[in-house]
Amino acid sequence: MSEEKLKVINLDLFYGEFQALKNIYFDLRNNETTALIGPSGCGKSTFIRVLNRMNDLISSCRITGKVLLDGEDIYGPIDVSNLRTRVGMVFQKPNPFNMNVFDNVAYGRRMQGMKDKKKLTELVEQSLIKAALWDEVKDRLKKSAQSLSGGQQQRLCIARSIAMSPEIILMDEPTSSLDPIATGRIEELIRELKQDFSIIIVTHSMNQAARISDRTAFFLLGNLIEYEKTTQMFIKPKDKRTEDYISGRFG
């Protein structure tokens, strides 16, 4: 099995006449966490939405180039719902469905036709264990997900993604609305999840990128300026613009 899970080749993305991403080359390896850093509006969130075709929902969006998942172009004739099962997404603000904890985690598999109660129960338990939430909610599975704290809701959303058995999990600033303790739990969870998944996380926190990622990609004005091992980038970036951003001179 190739170590390379995902490969982006010569990607350009336009919203109407505006070019939001320019000539992006990128790869993600199996069981690796990559952090995307850069100022607001530089293309980070736009880029991860390319990877599970969420930009399809925007009529003015046009994409050229290739995005290969296990060698298959995801912009070719593929089943998009299957793609979004393989490439899961966790958003900036926790967005649990307005239903109980159990049903939140089971929802996606039920939609795919899983009816066996025993299998669903096992799936929910395993997903919540992997999301480091089981011990906190095992006696509250029939309670509303809205009754959980913000950090618990975000871990529930991660459990919901895990339940679909994705190969890649995209996270768009998953801790930006959480307190430091909840943030620490999510970071610890990301380190553990890397054993089973490849992860891409958008973050505004340089410290967070340094703590949890294997490699870091620096975006600026729609360009991928530098993509390097995290330790290398933070100690000795190759590009002056990366150095300026990391050292706080701009952004």
Side-chain angles (χ1 to χ4, degrees):
M1 187 175 175
S2 161
E3 194 194 358
E4 204 168 71
K5 185 75 196 161
L6 181 83
K7 193 173 183 68
V8 177
I9 304 165
N10 192 23
L11 178 86
D12 292 309
L13 181 143
F14 299 84
Y15 294 125
E17 295 298 307
F18 174 69
Q19 187 168 2
L21 293 171
K22 304 162 189 171
N23 192 32
I24 306 289
Y25 285 81
F26 176 91
D27 66 279
L28 178 71
R29 296 166 191 165
N30 287 303
N31 307 106
E32 174 181 78
T33 299
T34 286
L36 309 186
I37 62 169
S40 293
C42 67
K44 306 183 298 294
S45 294
T46 298
F47 177 67
I48 62 167
R49 285 162 186 268
V50 166
L51 306 179
N52 68 348
R53 290 188 51 173
M54 282 196 69
N55 289 312
D56 285 15
L57 306 171
I58 302 167
S59 59
S60 65
C61 184
R62 180 169 57 85
I63 288 169
T64 62
K66 286 191 172 173
V67 181
L68 306 177
L69 177 59
D70 288 334
E72 182 183 15
D73 190 356
I74 69 167
Y75 283 87
I78 64 157
D79 179 340
V80 176
S81 61
N82 180 51
L83 169 69
R84 290 181 186 146
T85 298
R86 295 175 67 193
V87 184
M89 184 85 154
V90 176
F91 295 93
Q92 185 170 356
K93 287 203 171 92
N95 61 338
F97 301 140
N98 192 18
M99 50 183 73
N100 68 36
V101 170
F102 184 97
D103 290 343
N104 259 275
V105 182
Y107 182 83
R109 285 300 186 197
R110 277 191 178 133
M111 288 295 102
Q112 290 185 337
M114 186 186 278
K115 298 280 192 284
D116 187 315
K117 194 142 196 287
K118 186 166 181 281
K119 279 187 180 166
L120 278 170
T121 301
E122 284 173 5
L123 173 78
V124 168
E125 181 175 341
Q126 286 307 308
S127 302
L128 287 167
I129 287 169
K130 279 187 177 171
L133 189 58
W134 174 250
D135 288 341
E136 293 166 54
V137 301
K138 62 186 176 188
D139 301 320
R140 300 166 64 187
L141 296 177
K142 295 300 175 189
K143 294 265 173 67
S144 167
Q146 310 294 332
S147 68
L148 302 179
S149 71
Q152 288 172 327
Q153 286 186 17
Q154 193 62 298
R155 279 180 284 150
L156 179 65
C157 293
I158 292 169
R160 193 172 68 198
S161 182
I162 289 170
M164 302 304 290
S165 303
E167 297 157 40
I168 296 170
I169 302 178
L170 309 173
M171 299 187 174
D172 194 357
E173 296 190 57
T175 62
S176 66
S177 61
L178 304 180
D179 63 51
I181 290 171
T183 295
R185 283 189 179 142
I186 298 278
E187 289 184 3
E188 197 177 317
L189 174 57
I190 290 168
R191 282 190 283 270
E192 288 166 15
L193 290 176
K194 190 177 70 168
Q195 295 168 37
D196 298 308
F197 310 99
S198 301
I199 298 168
I200 300 177
I201 176 170
V202 172
T203 179
H204 270 296
S205 166
M206 237 66 85
N207 289 332
Q208 183 170 74
R211 285 192 297 265
I212 63 171
S213 67
D214 301 292
R215 291 195 290 165
T216 296
F218 171 54
F219 280 78
L220 183 65
L221 300 172
N223 295 288
L224 176 49
I225 303 295
E226 189 165 346
Y227 185 26
E228 189 54 81
K229 283 185 177 173
T230 298
T231 45
Q232 163 76 26
M233 186 181 282
F234 280 85
I235 292 166
K236 199 172 182 188
K238 291 178 180 153
D239 193 289
K240 176 83 165 54
R241 293 165 293 182
T242 314
E243 186 183 343
D244 286 348
Y245 182 73
I246 288 172
S247 63
R249 289 196 193 102
F250 75 88

